[in-house]
Amino acid sequence: MKVLNVGGGAREHSIVEALKKSGAEIYTVMKNKNPGIADASVEHVLMDECETENVAEWAISKGVELAIIGPEGPLGEGIVDLLESKGIPCVGPSKAAAQIEIDKEYARDLMKRHNIPGYVEHRAFDNLEDIKQFLEQFGRDVVVKPIGLTGGKGVKIMGEQLQNYDDVLAYCGEILESKIGGQSRLIIEERCIGEEFTLQAFCDGKTLAPMPAVQDHKRAYEGDEGPNTGGMGSYSESDWLLPFLTEEEYKQAVDIMKQTIEAMAEEGTPYKGVLYGQFMITAEGLKLIEYNARFGDPESMNVLPTLQDDFLTICRQIVDGNLSAAISFDRKATVCKYVVPVGYGVESLVGEKIHLDEGAIRNTGAELFYASVNEEGGQIYTTSSRSLGIVGVANTLTEAESISEEALRHISGKAFMRHDIGKPESIQRKIARMEEIRGSRSA
Ligand code: AMP
Ligand code: GLY
């Protein structure tokens, strides 16, 4: 079957590897030349993925029969509606259903309207006067979010980037004036405190098939310090849970996502594709922090290498609307560490050569996924985004972490990575933090 892959990051490389295992013939549209994806594709074209008319024209000329959309940008541009109008079914939501990620106000309003658990109190604003009045009454710490897409850099939190209400007002002013996220509108919500985790699920509009939970690391530096990034690495456990996540909480998260897709179907915007829920376990229980309308990056690299069922079959079930609710994964732990350009999170050094010994990396047993690099003349160069994802897969977290570290020894250049991800000390810190938060729940 001819399948179109849209996107050129490590998430898409992991998608393409899973499709290849299923025997798909892959055609890729990406803006940078990702050598892993280029190798796995029958053909690729370098093109802006958000220029949906061009993407559709190319896909039709290649006779593709199914498409899978990696990044949120083209989803927000309505690529699924366009491709489907041309007879190419898509693993990905329509523009209306992609609002769950693209429009943070829609996502929160939907949860409120349907009384879905995990809702965080929020309000949308388009002027500073109303914000001032709201804050005077609210009195608690808040988070400020532009409504639209900001590449993970638009959210600012009191106690972190914002120290007090003056800072909050200044940032709100900036969003409203510069239309950060594309609109002169923002939401303010209650600041939650706790450990975060990701739950990804396949959806066909009616049925939700969840995957193992994953924990990403958003901060650039070890010990969860420094600027926020798209994610520096992630891990998952063989039992689908995380060391600080109970089975009960996992089930609650699945239930919140189920209620969300039911609500969307009821309102006439059924959700199909991969739904990504970002959750936080707080003293007040489980909270939904945000939805994404796609696989996570890095989180796709934790789940796809351990997928037992045939990926292409799942994709076809998603578009045909007959998805099985139970998808199987190997009972393995995974640790993914991202290699990123020096300066990533602030200002990346672009165009730097990264040396890697692909054979030696694979000999360690680790999986290698190319991210937003450019290949020229057989050499790999950094872009402003993340460069390589290295994933250890093993029976235990400790073994998976060791494999990822062994593989990282075969990479050099102006790049860095967080060695602490998945290490026992780092996991212990998360468990201890969660115990403290749970303790304060009963206190
Ligand atoms: P988002 O773009 O909505 O995922 O936000 C980015 C990050 O900001 C999340 O992963 C959280 O770490 C943090 N965040 C978002 N909303 C909240 C909230 N209501 N309380 C605390 N942290 C939040
Ligand atoms: N890991 C964060 C994201 O994919 O948005």
Side-chain angles (χ1 to χ4, degrees), residues 331-439:
R331 294 193 85 69
K332 298 277 185 195
T334 67
V335 175
C336 171
K337 298 195 190 193
Y338 246 128
V339 177
V340 303
V342 165
Y344 178 66
V346 185
E347 197 178 344
S348 301
L349 283 183
V350 177
E352 295 292 339
K353 209 181 273 183
I354 294 192
H355 305 274
L356 68 158
D357 183 339
E358 204 173 314
I361 292 171
R362 299 216 191 270
N363 281 340
T364 65
E367 306 259 353
L368 161 66
F369 297 108
Y370 287 93
S372 297
V373 288
N374 266 311
E375 189 219 62
E376 273 170 50
Q379 301 286 348
I380 303 295
Y381 296 90
T382 59
T383 66
S384 60
S385 196
R386 297 169 287 188
S387 309
L388 304 167
I390 296 292
V391 185
V393 179
N395 290 330
T396 65
L397 210 48
T398 314
E399 284 170 81
E401 198 277 331
S402 306
I403 293 170
S404 69
E405 280 297 319
E406 224 177 290
L408 286 172
R409 289 215 291 267
H410 302 288
I411 298 168
S412 60
K414 285 204 169 123
F416 74 101
M417 69 281 304
R418 275 185 59 172
H419 291 290
D420 62 334
I421 294 170
K423 282 224 158 67
E425 313 81 77
S426 155
I427 303 279
Q428 270 317 316
R429 229 167 9 98
K430 290 169 195 297
I431 296 173
R433 179 156 184 260
M434 209 53 249
E435 274 171 5
E436 204 178 301
I437 290 169
R438 286 187 214 283

Side-chain angles (χ1 to χ4, degrees), residues 216-342:
D216 185 15
H217 296 69
K218 285 214 163 41
R219 300 301 197 96
Y221 312 135
E222 298 193 356
D224 294 320
E225 303 280 344
N228 269 325
T229 69
M232 293 294 294
S234 46
Y235 64 90
S236 65
E237 280 275 34
S238 58
D239 63 359
W240 295 42
L241 306 177
L242 294 164
F244 58 87
L245 170 72
T246 65
E247 191 170 353
E248 181 55 31
E249 286 158 344
Y250 176 88
K251 284 185 180 153
Q252 280 173 18
V254 171
D255 190 51
I256 289 172
M257 289 175 71
K258 273 193 184 147
Q259 291 192 41
T260 303
I261 65 156
E262 276 163 21
M264 291 180 78
E266 217 174 276
E267 294 195 357
T269 43
Y271 189 93
K272 109 182 127 44
V274 173
L275 183 63
Y276 168 120
Q278 178 80 34
F279 290 91
M280 193 186 276
I281 310 169
T282 75
E284 290 79 41
L286 198 58
K287 301 287 177 189
L288 185 282
I289 295 296
E290 71 159 356
Y291 277 123
N292 289 325
R294 48 171 175 78
F295 273 114
D297 188 350
E299 293 96 327
S300 69
M301 291 185 273
N302 300 95
V303 292
L304 285 173
T306 62
L307 181 64
Q308 245 172 29
D309 290 342
D310 182 70
F311 186 47
L312 187 53
T313 307
I314 297 171
C315 292
R316 293 174 69 157
Q317 289 175 353
I318 289 172
V319 301
D320 292 341
N322 56 6
L323 180 67
S324 147
I327 304 287
S328 304
F329 291 81
D330 296 331
R331 294 193 85 69
K332 298 277 185 195
T334 67
V335 175
C336 171
K337 298 195 190 193
Y338 246 128
V339 177
V340 303
V342 165

Side-chain angles (χ1 to χ4, degrees), residues 31-47:
K31 48 176 184 291
N32 52 294
K33 185 171 173 197
N34 176 316
I37 297 180
D39 265 1
S41 303
V42 176
E43 216 178 313
H44 72 269
V45 60
L46 302 184
M47 192 188 273

Side-chain angles (χ1 to χ4, degrees), residues 150-195:
T150 55
K153 291 172 187 78
V155 174
K156 292 199 180 178
I157 302 168
M158 251 177 99
E160 293 187 13
Q161 301 87 353
L162 309 171
Q163 294 320 314
N164 48 42
Y165 280 170
D166 286 342
D167 289 356
V168 168
L169 285 167
Y171 183 51
C172 290
E174 209 183 310
I175 296 174
L176 297 177
E177 195 159 314
S178 316
K179 299 193 175 170
I180 298 176
Q183 286 182 57
S184 195
R185 195 168 169 84
L186 54 86
I187 67 175
I188 294 189
E189 60 186 40
E190 186 181 347
R191 181 194 181 192
C192 307
I193 294 181
E195 273 304 315

Side-chain angles (χ1 to χ4, degrees), residues 1-262:
M1 186 177 209
K2 289 187 177 185
V3 180
L4 174 72
N5 160 59
V6 176
R11 167 182 50 211
E12 290 76 25
H13 189 192
S14 68
I15 289 172
V16 157
E17 289 298 333
L19 284 171
K20 203 171 80 173
K21 246 191 240 168
S22 295
E25 280 178 63
I26 298 152
Y27 291 79
T28 291
V29 174
M30 53 187 167
K31 48 176 184 291
N32 52 294
K33 185 171 173 197
N34 176 316
I37 297 180
D39 265 1
S41 303
V42 176
E43 216 178 313
H44 72 269
V45 60
L46 302 184
M47 192 188 273
D48 182 344
E49 300 122 5
C50 287
E51 291 182 358
T52 54
E53 291 285 348
N54 296 341
V55 176
E57 198 178 310
W58 189 77
I60 291 162
S61 76
K62 299 298 159 195
V64 307
E65 302 161 82
L66 180 84
I68 175 158
I69 320 299
E72 62 278 17
L75 293 170
E77 295 297 325
I79 195 168
V80 168
D81 309 68
L82 181 66
L83 289 170
E84 293 189 340
S85 75
K86 314 264 183 206
I88 303 171
C90 295
V91 178
S94 65
K95 185 173 178 176
Q99 284 185 96
I100 197 82
E101 166 166 7
I102 313 294
D103 183 339
K104 291 187 195 295
E105 189 178 357
Y106 166 85
R108 285 275 180 246
D109 283 346
L110 180 89
M111 292 185 77
K112 192 172 181 181
R113 258 195 316 278
H114 291 265
N115 219 358
I116 298 174
Y119 166 74
V120 176
E121 200 179 329
H122 84 294
R123 264 196 54 195
F125 297 95
D126 56 14
N127 72 77
L128 276 180
E129 270 317 303
D130 289 352
I131 297 174
K132 275 185 204 150
Q133 273 183 18
F134 170 79
L135 291 176
E136 271 166 26
Q137 299 198 338
F138 194 70
R140 282 168 278 156
D141 279 5
V142 296
V143 175
V144 182
K145 301 183 171 186
I147 301 276
L149 293 178
T150 55
K153 291 172 187 78
V155 174
K156 292 199 180 178
I157 302 168
M158 251 177 99
E160 293 187 13
Q161 301 87 353
L162 309 171
Q163 294 320 314
N164 48 42
Y165 280 170
D166 286 342
D167 289 356
V168 168
L169 285 167
Y171 183 51
C172 290
E174 209 183 310
I175 296 174
L176 297 177
E177 195 159 314
S178 316
K179 299 193 175 170
I180 298 176
Q183 286 182 57
S184 195
R185 195 168 169 84
L186 54 86
I187 67 175
I188 294 189
E189 60 186 40
E190 186 181 347
R191 181 194 181 192
C192 307
I193 294 181
E195 273 304 315
E196 286 183 78
F197 70 94
T198 302
L199 179 61
Q200 302 167 97
F202 299 107
C203 305
D204 68 354
K206 311 179 292 289
T207 301
L208 184 102
M211 307 186 214
V214 180
Q215 190 178 38
D216 185 15
H217 296 69
K218 285 214 163 41
R219 300 301 197 96
Y221 312 135
E222 298 193 356
D224 294 320
E225 303 280 344
N228 269 325
T229 69
M232 293 294 294
S234 46
Y235 64 90
S236 65
E237 280 275 34
S238 58
D239 63 359
W240 295 42
L241 306 177
L242 294 164
F244 58 87
L245 170 72
T246 65
E247 191 170 353
E248 181 55 31
E249 286 158 344
Y250 176 88
K251 284 185 180 153
Q252 280 173 18
V254 171
D255 190 51
I256 289 172
M257 289 175 71
K258 273 193 184 147
Q259 291 192 41
T260 303
I261 65 156
E262 276 163 21

